[in-house]
């Protein structure tokens, strides 16, 4: 399988501070790839380096085989990037911005106009097509940036926190649209704070922290390799004091029960025995595997802001 993106020993220094400490990994063509990590991990720096917004101190990045610096013109055409930071242009309408962006990539004519209109429709921007971008809400600005990233039909679409501060309806619209693009063969790379979203959407994820990759694997593998499973127990006497062995495994206390983190290797009988010994009047038990959020917290030991 050919590679959509190759990061090779990418270092970015801001003065003495190393925002990227030699990041290397590949994204296969056709992947739906999630780049996750707490605030300040270096996700945006890495992503912006793909499009030339950030110039790495050392290392290289290739998009569809083209070096993003030496082969900028070619790599840039194959890449659509939706930046995290919202921008507004007070001088142009949405439609004009999309036409300008098309012109920049040398695309025009009736076919291109049809595509621009389709983007406006799909991203629910059609009735604002002739508005100035400075008059738009945050969610609309985000959609304009997505339309701009897609105007040249790039093979690789990169979305940096596309759903931050976006309402539920729009999130769904965005994901439906992104999934459709993925089905059509586009490679998708996204960063998101919403780990549930990443778990549902991404077939592969990288977890980044302090400018380094902490884990990278197929989402399902990452989940199944997690050493714990989770046991939710409903009890008739939730006010009971838990003995040490159970208290150590408690991850959540609920009004009618508990959630315990249990070593996958340990026997379920043992845990259930401990509960019986403690005098828990168990009314219901269910067990599940770790979520991506739990894997993430385990690997980074810090929450997402
Ligand atoms: P993320 O997107 O994962 O939240 P960023 O890539 O935005 O993280 O930032 C990574 C680190 O680099 C942060 O500590 C941030 O403060 C720092 N950083 C980003 N851009 C600059 C800059 N232009 N000058 C100095 N430090 C920067
Ligand atoms: Mg960021």
């Amino acid at each position: 399988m050919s590679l959509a993106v190759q990061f090779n020993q990418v270092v970015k220094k801001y003065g003495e501070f190393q925002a990227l400490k030699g990041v290397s990994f590949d994204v296969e063509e056709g992947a739906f790839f999630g780049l996750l990590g707490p605030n300040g991990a270096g996700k945006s720096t890495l992503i912006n380096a793909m499009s030339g917004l950030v110039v790495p101190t050392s290392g290289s990045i290739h998009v569809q085989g083209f070096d993003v610096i030496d082969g900028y013109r070619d790599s840039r055409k194959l890449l659509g990037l939706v930046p995290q930071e919202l921008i507004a242009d007070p001088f142009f309408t949405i439609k004009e911005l999309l036409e300008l962006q098309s012109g920049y990539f040398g695309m025009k004519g009736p076919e291109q106009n049809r595509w621009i209109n389709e983007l406006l429709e799909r991203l629910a921007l059609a009735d604002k097509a002739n508005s100035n971008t400075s008059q738009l809400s945050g969610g609309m600005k985000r959609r304009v940036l997505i339309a701009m990233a897609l105007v040249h039909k790039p093979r690789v679409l990169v979305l940096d926190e596309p759903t931050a501060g976006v309402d539920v309806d729009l999130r769904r619209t965005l994901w439906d649209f992104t999934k459709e693009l993925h089905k059509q063969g586009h490679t998708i790379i996204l960063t998101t704070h919403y780990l549930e979203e990443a778990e549902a959407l991404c077939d592969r994820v990288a977890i980044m922290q302090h400018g380094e990759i902490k884990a990278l694997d197929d989402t399902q593998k990452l989940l199944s390799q997690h050493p714990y499973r989770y046991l939710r127990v409903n009890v008739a006497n939730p006010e009971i004091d838990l003995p040490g062995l159970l208290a150590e495994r408690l991850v959540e206390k609920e009004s009618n029960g508990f959630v315990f983190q249990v070593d996958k290797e340990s026997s379920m009988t043992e845990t259930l025995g401990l509960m019986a010994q403690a005098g828990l009047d168990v009314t219901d038990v269910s067990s599940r595997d770790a979520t991506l959020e739990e894997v993430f917290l385990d690997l980074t030991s810090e929450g997402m802001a």
Side-chain angles (χ1 to χ4, degrees):
M1 184 168 278
S2 54
L3 298 175
V5 188
Q6 296 157 275
F7 296 100
N8 183 22
Q9 287 299 320
V10 183
V11 172
K12 179 64 187 179
K13 289 187 192 168
Y14 291 109
E16 287 297 295
F17 176 73
Q18 276 203 320
L20 299 174
K21 298 173 180 166
V23 173
S24 299
F25 68 92
D26 300 329
V27 178
E28 284 182 355
E29 212 174 334
F32 203 129
F33 190 96
L35 181 62
L36 313 173
N39 268 335
K43 305 178 300 293
S44 294
T45 306
L46 190 66
I47 274 178
N48 290 339
M50 293 173 69
S51 69
L53 285 172
V54 163
V55 180
T57 308
S58 62
S60 64
I61 305 174
H62 290 77
V63 174
Q64 299 284 159
F66 295 104
D67 186 292
V68 301
I69 292 169
D70 294 342
Y72 178 76
R73 287 181 66 84
D74 291 307
S75 71
R76 190 63 192 84
K77 265 186 212 162
L78 295 160
L79 183 74
L81 183 123
V82 184
Q84 182 174 0
E85 300 301 328
L86 294 177
I87 38 158
D89 187 316
F91 299 110
F92 297 104
T93 67
I94 295 179
K95 186 139 196 196
E96 284 165 346
L97 276 178
L98 294 180
E99 285 163 357
L100 278 171
Q101 187 82 349
S102 295
Y104 174 75
F105 286 106
M107 297 173 85
K108 46 179 190 276
E111 179 73 16
Q112 183 63 11
N113 285 338
R114 264 198 299 279
W115 177 233
I116 288 178
N117 287 330
E118 189 183 331
L119 283 173
L120 289 168
E121 283 294 331
R122 288 303 308 268
L123 291 162
L125 289 168
D127 57 341
K128 297 276 179 188
N130 297 314
S131 304
N132 246 295
T133 48
S134 52
Q135 302 157 6
L136 304 176
S137 68
M140 281 180 188
K141 283 181 189 153
R142 182 78 59 198
R143 277 177 277 164
V144 173
L145 288 177
I146 294 172
M148 284 178 74
L150 286 170
V151 89
H152 59 296
K153 299 190 172 170
R155 277 165 67 184
V156 183
L157 177 64
V158 184
L159 303 137
D160 195 358
E161 311 270 2
T163 51
V166 158
D167 68 42
V168 180
D169 262 4
L170 177 52
R171 258 157 82 178
R172 179 149 307 163
T173 310
L174 285 183
W175 291 138
D176 286 348
F177 191 40
T178 312
K179 279 196 259 187
E180 203 177 304
L181 291 163
H182 180 240
K183 259 204 199 111
Q184 289 166 9
H186 294 265
T187 305
I188 312 283
I189 300 176
L190 83 98
T191 78
T192 178
H193 266 64
Y194 300 97
L195 293 167
E196 258 174 66
E197 253 173 31
E199 186 174 338
L201 291 163
C202 302
D203 44 42
R204 214 166 150 77
V205 295
I207 295 179
M208 202 176 174
Q209 189 183 29
H210 304 312
E212 293 174 308
I213 301 295
K214 291 269 166 184
L216 191 158
D217 215 328
D218 291 346
T219 313
Q220 286 314 316
K221 263 203 200 135
L222 210 58
L223 295 176
S224 67
Q225 280 164 6
H226 189 66
Y228 303 107
R229 65 183 151 182
Y230 295 82
L231 206 59
R232 158 169 279 123
V233 187
N234 289 349
V235 298
N237 52 348
E239 67 291 340
I240 203 165
D241 270 340
L242 294 175
L245 273 175
L246 282 178
E248 273 167 31
R249 300 175 194 179
L250 182 71
V251 287
E252 232 175 292
K253 171 140 177 43
E254 297 173 339
S255 62
N256 62 346
F258 309 93
V259 180
F260 298 107
Q261 179 176 270
V262 190
D263 204 308
K264 268 187 189 158
E265 303 296 311
S266 78
S267 91
M268 197 56 90
T269 322
E270 186 223 329
T271 311
L272 294 172
L274 285 173
M275 291 181 197
Q277 271 174 31
L280 286 181
D281 184 358
V282 176
T283 56
D284 198 14
V285 181
S286 58
S287 106
R288 61 165 176 81
D289 283 334
T291 61
L292 192 55
E293 178 149 357
E294 283 152 349
V295 173
F296 179 91
L297 289 172
D298 194 54
L299 284 167
T300 60
S301 323
E302 57 186 79
M304 292 202 133

